Amino acid sequence: MYKHTGSRGSGAPGWVLQRITGLLLVIVVIGHYFVMHADPASGHTYAAVLERMHHPLWKMFDLTFITVGLWHGLNGTWGIFRDYKMKPAVSLTIYGVIILSGIAFWVLGVNTILSF
Amino acid sequence: MAYQPKPPDGWLKTNLRYYKHPGSWAWILHRITGLGLTAYIFVHIYALTTLTQGPKAFDDEMKLFSTPVFKVLEWLLFSLVLYHAFNGVRIVLVDWANGAKYHKKILTVVYGLGVVLFIGMGILMFREPIANMFASLK
């Protein structure tokens, strides 16, 4: 039956990591909003981004943010689908789309950060 | 157990029929906001790829994102962030602490803190139009 529901393992590592990454994102995303989105005049020009990207710490922060954020979002999405019984082909397709879109957009984001 | 691709009434009807405890609403909202935020991170990553096309492409895009419609959408998005973040903390407290005993009280805090920070962010984001509005009243 596990084969049909698309869940092979117990899901425990994903469950624990979802909580750990979630706690991290609570601070990071709300902080990101106050720093980047509270004031439209702050840091939204190319020059300001270039200035930030000269610091390796900002780059590291953004790379971590993009990785953790995407993983948390896609692991959560898969968690929702796992709650429903699906035909194997449907399950495999959804899982494939999640993995491939995750990798594609991770590469896209990392490429943007490392282009500086 | 026989393999059933769908509940007898279909998954939508079955889901709608569930008794909606405040905790079930919290669960439903957590999923909807989570899917919304995941969709948004894709848009966010894609939108920022203009950074690789030089200053003009990026600054032009940022001009578009500074228009009132986008500012309001940006503000509304914050409500998803706040709800998902604080309800997420509630989930962790239920799973890893004694939160199950107080989960309804924590839920009140989730909604309360969310509304306060949402309004606070609105005041911060729209401080100029708000100030102009009050100035024109004098």
Side-chain angles (χ1 to χ4, degrees):
Chain A
M1 205 185 87
Y2 281 127
K3 254 188 215 163
H4 295 302
T5 53
S7 46
R8 233 161 290 147
S10 68
W15 181 85
V16 172
L17 276 176
Q18 190 72 357
R19 272 139 192 81
I20 293 170
T21 52
L23 287 175
L24 195 73
L25 286 166
V26 168
I27 302 157
V28 173
V29 180
I30 294 179
H32 171 77
Y33 235 96
F34 275 99
V35 174
M36 294 302 298
H37 298 273
D39 184 3
S42 78
H44 282 83
T45 59
Y46 187 85
V49 178
L50 196 67
E51 160 79 33
R52 266 202 305 281
M53 286 296 157
H54 275 312
H55 302 284
L57 273 176
W58 263 114
K59 268 191 186 178
M60 267 172 61
F61 175 82
D62 284 351
L63 289 170
T64 312
F65 192 12
I66 218 168
T67 308
V68 172
L70 261 179
W71 187 87
H72 182 91
L74 290 175
N75 188 53
T77 305
W78 178 233
I80 292 173
F81 280 110
R82 267 177 61 134
D83 274 358
Y84 299 92
K85 286 184 176 179
M86 292 175 286
K87 291 189 177 110
V90 176
S91 163
L92 200 67
T93 307
I94 292 170
Y95 195 67
V97 169
I98 287 174
I99 296 281
L100 290 178
S101 64
I103 292 172
F105 275 77
W106 185 79
V107 170
L108 204 61
V110 168
N111 178 57
T112 305
I113 298 166
L114 295 185
S115 70
F116 289 97
Chain B
M1 212 203 311
Y3 169 58
Q4 287 179 319
K6 277 184 202 164
D9 288 347
W11 63 269
L12 188 66
K13 261 192 179 173
T14 306
N15 273 286
L16 290 174
R17 205 173 50 223
Y18 289 151
Y19 173 65
K20 303 294 191 300
H21 182 271
S24 358
W25 277 117
W27 179 83
I28 292 166
L29 285 175
H30 200 75
R31 298 203 143 183
I32 295 173
T33 53
L35 288 173
L37 290 168
T38 306
Y40 182 72
I41 198 176
F42 279 88
V43 177
H44 199 326
I45 289 171
Y46 180 74
L48 291 187
T49 54
T50 48
L51 280 168
T52 60
Q53 294 158 22
K56 199 188 171 298
F58 182 72
D59 288 344
D60 284 353
E61 190 186 29
M62 286 304 122
K63 251 178 229 154
L64 172 69
F65 290 164
S66 317
T67 53
V69 177
F70 279 93
K71 294 307 297 173
V72 171
L73 287 175
E74 196 180 357
W75 181 45
L76 294 178
L77 181 76
F78 194 49
S79 65
L80 305 194
V81 171
L82 287 171
Y83 176 76
H84 198 84
F86 294 143
N87 192 56
V89 172
R90 173 176 160 271
I91 291 173
V92 171
L93 288 173
V94 168
D95 286 347
W96 285 348
N98 225 353
K101 280 186 183 167
Y102 322 102
H103 85 96
K104 274 193 192 172
K105 275 183 191 157
I106 304 172
L107 195 55
T108 312
V109 177
V110 167
Y111 290 129
L113 204 58
V115 168
V116 169
L117 283 182
F118 182 62
I119 293 170
M121 178 58 79
I123 294 170
L124 271 178
M125 284 176 74
F126 301 108
R127 53 182 176 261
E128 276 176 32
I130 291 170
N132 291 340
M133 198 175 70
F134 280 106
S136 67
L137 288 177
K138 275 177 198 166

